[in-house]
Amino acid sequence: MRLCETDKFIATCKSIGITVTYQRLIIFEFLQTQVNHPSAEDIYKQIRKIHPTISLATIYNTLVTFAEHNLINRVTQLHDVARYDTNLKMHHHLVCRQCKKIIDSHYPALDRIKISRRHTHGFKVMRHQVQFDGVCSECQKKARIKSNE
Ligand SMILES: [Zn+2]
Ligand SMILES: [Zn+2]
């Protein structure tokens, strides 16, 4: 499921004991429109246009809180900056080495991967997500244009 709607969000916050502030609501609503796994900075730059008083620190803290309560997912530290994912459905990631874009991929065969106990070293697996490393189509195009110059 994508992040639930505002009403559901408010209900969830109440049930897990986090206060619904105006700023949290703004950030939540903004996140619903995002599919690019934005960083805190990305979110800040966009939200600031509409809500100039919001601070980067508020955004950082809110994202950490949301992630702690599984309202969003923090994408594994792929680059140097934490990126956030509002897509809570099982999916996998295609990560561009050049532009750092993270593209969602829904591929049921990957969802079904099971690791045998022999290979988990006593680790209790809660979730898995496959990451493909490579170059996105746009960056490939740019590289082709460059090599033709
Ligand atoms: Zn790219
Ligand atoms: Zn994702």
Side-chain angles (χ1 to χ4, degrees), residues 10-137:
I10 294 170
T12 309
C13 286
K14 280 185 182 150
S15 74
I16 57 182
I18 66 172
T19 322
V20 185
T21 61
Y22 176 61
Q23 291 178 323
R24 282 184 177 157
L25 211 53
I26 289 169
I27 296 167
F28 168 79
E29 283 180 340
F30 175 78
L31 285 173
Q32 298 227 77
T33 65
Q34 298 297 297
V35 289
N36 314 321
H37 310 84
S39 68
E41 296 258 357
D42 297 332
I43 296 165
Y44 176 60
K45 279 184 202 144
Q46 294 297 317
I47 290 192
R48 204 175 42 172
K49 290 181 194 161
I50 320 155
H51 302 282
T53 56
I54 208 155
S55 73
L56 182 57
T58 301
I59 305 227
Y60 267 118
N61 296 336
T62 304
L63 292 170
V64 169
T65 306
F66 285 179
E68 263 169 20
H69 294 92
N70 301 315
L71 294 166
I72 54 174
N73 279 318
R74 192 178 146 139
V75 181
T76 333
Q77 202 91 34
L78 294 162
H79 307 297
D80 39 354
V81 179
R83 304 267 294 263
Y84 292 91
D85 197 345
T86 57
N87 184 355
L88 300 178
K89 231 165 122 183
M90 179 88 178
H91 69 284
H92 308 283
H93 285 149
L94 305 155
V95 183
C96 178
R97 288 182 181 189
Q98 275 157 38
C99 68
K100 303 186 174 182
K101 190 188 304 160
I102 304 169
I103 303 160
D104 284 348
S105 175
H106 295 270
Y107 183 39
L110 293 176
D111 302 351
R112 291 191 294 267
I113 291 175
K114 288 267 185 297
I115 183 165
S116 74
R117 217 185 268 172
R118 202 150 54 89
H119 294 99
T120 52
H121 310 280
F123 188 89
K124 184 172 187 271
V125 178
M126 325 274 283
R127 183 175 91 103
H128 76 274
Q129 190 166 41
V130 179
Q131 180 187 318
F132 296 92
D133 214 7
V135 183
C136 76
S137 61

Side-chain angles (χ1 to χ4, degrees), residues 98 135-149:
Q98 275 157 38
V135 183
C136 76
S137 61
E138 280 153 50
C139 288
Q140 289 175 57
K141 228 181 274 166
K142 273 184 219 152
R144 271 198 296 273
I145 294 166
K146 240 187 179 167
S147 65
N148 289 336
E149 271 173 6

